[in-house]
Amino acid sequence: QVPLVESGGGLVQAGGSLRLSCAASGTIFWLNAMGWYRQAPGKQRELVAAVTTIGSTTYADSVKGRFTISRDNAKDTVYLQMNSLKPEDTAVYYCNTHPPHQNYWAQGTQVTVSS
C-alpha cells in the first residue's frame, strides 16, 4: 500500500486557485502532523504548510494569507487550498509527515502557474 498519494495539481493562470489532496494511510494520518512541501526547479524542497493532529497550522511566509492547509479526519486526507497563485508558486508539491519521513516521499503533483 502506498502510504501517501497526492493529486490535484495542474496548470493555472496567475491569480487562479487549485486544491491539492493527499490521501494517507490511516496509521500515518492519525499519528502525525502532516505537511505540504514543494520543490521548484533548481531549488531545495521547502515546507509550505503543516497541520498538527489537533488542527494547528503553520505556513511559510511566502504563502501566508493565500494558502490554507486542512485535514479531514473522516477521510484520512490532507488538503492544500491555494488561492491567488503566483508564477513563483510553480513547483512539484509533495505531502509527507511533519517533520518528513524519508520513506514517505511519493511522486508529488505538478503545479504550474503561468503569468
Side-chain angles (χ1 to χ4, degrees):
Q1 181 181 4
V2 178
L4 298 167
V5 179
E6 304 101 340
S7 62
L11 173 64
V12 64
Q13 289 188 333
S17 298
L18 284 173
R19 189 177 80 155
L20 307 183
S21 299
C22 172
S25 68
T27 301
I28 294 173
F29 184 86
W30 284 102
L31 296 180
N32 292 282
M34 299 296 297
W36 280 99
Y37 303 78
R38 68 185 180 187
Q39 187 167 20
K43 295 186 177 181
Q44 289 190 332
R45 188 151 41 195
E46 62 176 353
L47 176 69
V48 175
V51 58
T52 69
T53 55
I54 59 171
S56 297
T57 58
T58 185
Y59 297 92
D61 288 343
S62 59
V63 306
K64 282 180 180 177
R66 300 189 297 123
F67 290 10
T68 302
I69 189 171
S70 61
R71 58 193 296 158
D72 186 332
N73 292 337
K75 297 182 178 179
D76 294 348
T77 300
V78 181
Y79 301 100
L80 186 67
Q81 177 67 44
M82 305 185 295
N83 299 328
S84 302
L85 281 161
K86 304 175 180 180
E88 51 264 44
D89 294 318
T90 295
V92 178
Y93 284 71
Y94 304 87
C95 73
N96 203 322
T97 56
H98 176 61
H101 190 294
Q102 185 62 35
N103 292 343
Y104 295 160
W105 293 115
Q107 296 297 316
T109 185
Q110 176 70 48
V111 172
T112 303
V113 184
S114 63
S115 57

